[in-house]
Amino acid sequence: MIRVLLADDQLLVRAGFRALLDLQDDLTVVGEADDGEAAVGLARELVPDVVLMDIRMPRMDGLEATRRIAEDPALSSVRVVVLTTFELDEYVFEALRSGAAGFLVKDTEPADLLRAVRVAVAGDALLSPGVTRRLIGEFAARSKRPETVPQGLPDISMLTEREREVLALVGMGLSNEEIARRLVVSPLTAKTHVSRAMVKIGVRDRAQLVVLAYESGLVRPGWLG
């Protein structure tokens, strides 16, 4: 059973999500929060598998709430999926940087919402390679090229040459199947390289690999012209 915490300041939104999720045999809503502070508190109390987190909430917004959950060692198994009104919301990339496993637009199709929750638990988010490419391309184009690698990033020097190559391809939004075709290996081998890279540098999920690929300079579209 996948346990879900809902965090949104709109009661009707939470009610709609709860009604949909509780109809599924493998999903259950274990709690609801109407602001970020309550979301963090309930996450620590309930330790759900997934938090559906609205970005804009009172008292504490979803970005700070996501950051606090991601930084808490006791919540290392919790996956946060941020909810946004627009697919390319200005805060989405920051949410991923803060530790979110992926994102959803609020008017997403019910089947996509259910799939997103299950995918987040499996650690395979972002939710769609195509959406990933649009998202990171948009924000990379808006960003300024950093003068130096930001402080506090995981050390990628411990990765093998092939793992660094795979990290760059993940950052470009390629799925395991696309990586396999690019490198002429099996999808299982590609997945193994991705998993090993995640373990070596200590990131939570695929979304964090995407952020790291950009912030470490392995992938820099929009900066190179």
Side-chain angles (χ1 to χ4, degrees):
M1 184 67 71
I2 297 173
R3 304 166 70 252
V4 182
L5 172 64
L6 304 176
D8 195 296
D9 61 341
Q10 298 182 47
L11 177 60
L12 287 178
V13 172
R14 298 200 310 271
F17 284 161
R18 175 182 278 276
L20 175 64
L21 294 168
D22 280 345
L23 284 174
Q24 310 305 308
D25 292 338
D26 62 333
L27 304 174
T28 184
V29 175
V30 295
E32 298 184 26
D34 58 7
D35 62 64
E37 188 172 315
V40 173
L42 283 175
R44 289 171 175 160
E45 175 186 344
L46 302 171
V47 193
D49 298 301
V50 177
V51 180
L52 293 181
M53 180 85 72
D54 188 22
I55 289 181
R56 297 173 181 82
M57 291 186 292
R59 287 213 295 172
M60 180 190 296
D61 64 25
L63 294 177
E64 179 61 25
T66 297
R67 187 175 296 110
R68 294 193 185 188
I69 291 172
E71 291 175 349
D72 190 336
L75 302 179
S76 61
S77 64
V78 177
R79 296 291 177 260
V80 178
V81 177
V82 297
L83 303 170
T84 178
T85 305
F86 303 104
E87 192 170 272
L88 290 179
D89 188 292
E90 61 181 306
Y91 296 111
V92 167
F93 194 76
E94 182 61 33
L96 298 177
R97 183 183 287 116
S98 298
F103 73 98
L104 285 174
V105 289
K106 286 189 175 181
D107 61 352
T108 190
E109 294 293 326
D112 290 335
L113 171 65
L114 298 174
R115 175 179 175 272
V117 171
R118 294 172 177 129
V119 164
V121 172
D124 292 334
L126 297 174
L127 308 179
S128 160
V131 171
T132 302
R133 283 191 283 269
R134 293 200 303 274
L135 173 73
I136 58 186
E138 176 75 13
F139 283 95
R142 294 180 184 178
S143 300
K144 294 182 180 179
R145 178 177 178 174
E147 296 299 324
T148 60
V149 175
Q151 295 296 312
L153 288 184
D155 183 7
I156 65 172
S157 65
M158 65 185 69
L159 299 180
T160 65
E161 182 177 348
R162 175 48 61 92
E163 287 165 350
R164 287 167 63 91
E165 186 177 8
V166 168
L167 173 58
L169 294 174
V170 170
M172 293 166 59
L174 272 63
S175 67
N176 288 341
E177 290 74 18
E178 291 170 325
I179 292 172
R181 289 196 294 272
R182 180 75 65 91
L183 300 180
V184 195
V185 297
S186 71
L188 179 58
T189 298
K191 183 177 181 179
T192 299
H193 285 312
V194 172
S195 298
R196 286 178 178 169
M198 289 172 59
V199 171
K200 281 187 178 181
I201 56 185
V203 299
R204 291 165 59 93
D205 49 44
R206 199 180 186 93
Q208 294 303 290
L209 285 181
V210 172
V211 173
L212 178 60
Y214 277 82
E215 294 196 323
S216 65
L218 282 178
V219 182
R220 298 183 298 188
W223 295 329
L224 299 182

